[in-house]
């Protein structure tokens, strides 16, 4: 800003928004939605190269939700601050940005992402553990044979961490749930109704595998 100062109206809008956010809010205004901006270059690159993951889409959804909730906030102070920031946004993007068009675009983005990405992944405020599980397993990592020695030894905490709610792998004899989870990394990332046929096929194969192991190896 010091080397390339914005136009006077943009500088005034930024200044007023900062004052409102720092000193103009009262407890009755409620909290300001947390906004973590995803760099435009990152969005363009990942979408263009088709490298976007469930984590990326959850970040986009969270950003769109925060922008929309700020512009539609119950507090006049928060709404005013959000509207003021449309000025520098328009300057940065080089195109006119209106409150109505941005709210509409954010809502549409949330709906599109929410129709494909599993609810467990999307930002739901105090929800975290399942997303961490869904992103922490490296499917290319070398598997430790000892990891699968105990067929019935999984603790309740392990099952909770790996279950992913309704997207849990089936619990079958002779095949540890974690083995299925590692080989089905899409669980908990894509909505079940979007991949229902593939999901049914995987679960059928797991039961058939358990049946074969029980018949031929046990």
């Amino acid at each position: 800003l010091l080397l390339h100062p914005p136009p006077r109206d943009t500088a005034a809008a930024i200044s007023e928004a900062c004052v409102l956010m720092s000193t103009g809010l009262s407890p009755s205004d409620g909290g300001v939605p947390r906004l973590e901006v995803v760099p435009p270059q990152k969005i363009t690159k990942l979408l263009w190269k088709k490298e976007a993951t469930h984590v990326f889409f959850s970040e986009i959804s969270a950003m769109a939700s925060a922008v929309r909730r700020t512009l539609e906030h119950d507090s006049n102070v928060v709404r005013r601050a959000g509207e003021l920031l449309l000025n520098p946004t328009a300057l940065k993007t080089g195109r006119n940005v209106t409150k109505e068009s941005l709210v509409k675009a954010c809502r549409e983005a949330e709906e599109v992402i929410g129709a494909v990405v599993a609810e467990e992944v999307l930002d739901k405020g105090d929800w975290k553990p399942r997303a961490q599980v869904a992103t922490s397993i490296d499917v290319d990592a070398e598997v430790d044979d000892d990891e699968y020695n105990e067929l019935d030894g999984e603790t309740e905490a392990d099952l909770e961490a790996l279950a992913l709610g309704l997207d849990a792998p089936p619990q079958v004899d002779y095949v540890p749930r974690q083995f299925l989870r590692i080989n089905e990394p899409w669980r908990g990332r894509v909505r079940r109704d979007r991949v229902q046929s593939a999901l049914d096929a995987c679960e059928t194969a797991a039961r058939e595998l358990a049946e074969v192991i029980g018949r031929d190896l046990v």
Side-chain angles (χ1 to χ4, degrees):
L1 291 177
L2 294 177
L3 296 177
H4 303 283
R8 183 178 296 273
D9 61 327
T10 302
I14 295 174
S15 177
E16 184 179 347
C18 289
V19 171
L20 290 174
M21 290 292 191
S22 60
T23 62
L25 292 174
S26 65
S28 62
D29 291 313
V32 178
R34 179 178 178 179
L35 175 58
E36 295 184 5
V37 178
V38 182
Q41 299 86 348
K42 177 180 178 180
I43 297 175
T44 303
K45 176 184 177 181
L46 293 180
L47 292 178
W48 179 260
K49 292 188 174 183
K50 298 183 179 180
E51 295 177 352
T53 66
H54 59 295
V55 176
F56 166 79
F57 283 116
S58 72
E59 292 175 350
I60 297 297
S61 179
M63 180 176 68
S65 174
V67 170
R68 176 183 57 77
R69 288 183 290 118
T70 298
L71 294 174
E72 294 183 325
H73 205 280
D74 293 336
S75 166
N76 292 330
V77 176
V78 177
R79 282 202 313 274
R80 173 60 180 167
E83 291 166 1
L84 287 167
L85 294 177
L86 294 177
N87 185 308
T89 301
L91 179 66
K92 180 68 175 179
T93 59
R95 57 185 301 177
N96 184 39
V97 180
T98 66
K99 173 183 175 181
E100 293 74 17
S101 63
L102 186 54
V103 167
K104 180 181 177 182
C106 288
R107 181 175 288 109
E108 290 175 349
E110 290 179 77
E111 292 173 353
V112 169
I113 294 173
V116 178
V117 178
E119 182 179 353
E120 291 89 344
V121 177
L122 300 178
D123 184 11
K124 296 298 180 182
D126 39 25
W127 173 88
K128 285 184 180 180
R130 289 179 183 167
Q132 292 172 353
V133 171
T135 60
S136 63
I137 296 177
D138 183 358
V139 297
D140 296 321
E142 185 176 346
V143 177
D144 184 354
D145 292 336
D146 293 337
E147 189 174 4
Y148 303 111
N149 282 346
E150 296 185 17
L151 300 182
D152 300 316
E154 294 117 327
T155 66
E156 184 176 347
D158 290 335
L159 293 179
E160 171 63 23
L162 296 169
L164 300 175
L166 294 176
D167 232 1
Q171 190 164 8
V172 297
D173 294 335
Y174 314 119
V175 182
R177 243 178 178 176
Q178 189 170 356
F179 171 83
L180 299 176
R181 175 68 187 93
I182 290 176
N183 286 280
E184 299 170 5
W186 41 266
R187 285 187 180 274
R189 301 180 181 184
V190 181
R191 289 177 57 95
R192 289 176 65 90
D193 57 331
R194 305 292 293 195
V195 291
Q196 191 63 55
S197 59
L199 186 67
D200 292 342
C202 284
E203 295 186 351
T204 298
R207 294 185 176 92
E208 291 175 350
L209 175 61
E211 182 180 345
V212 171
I213 293 174
R215 184 184 66 232
D216 297 344
L217 301 178
V218 178

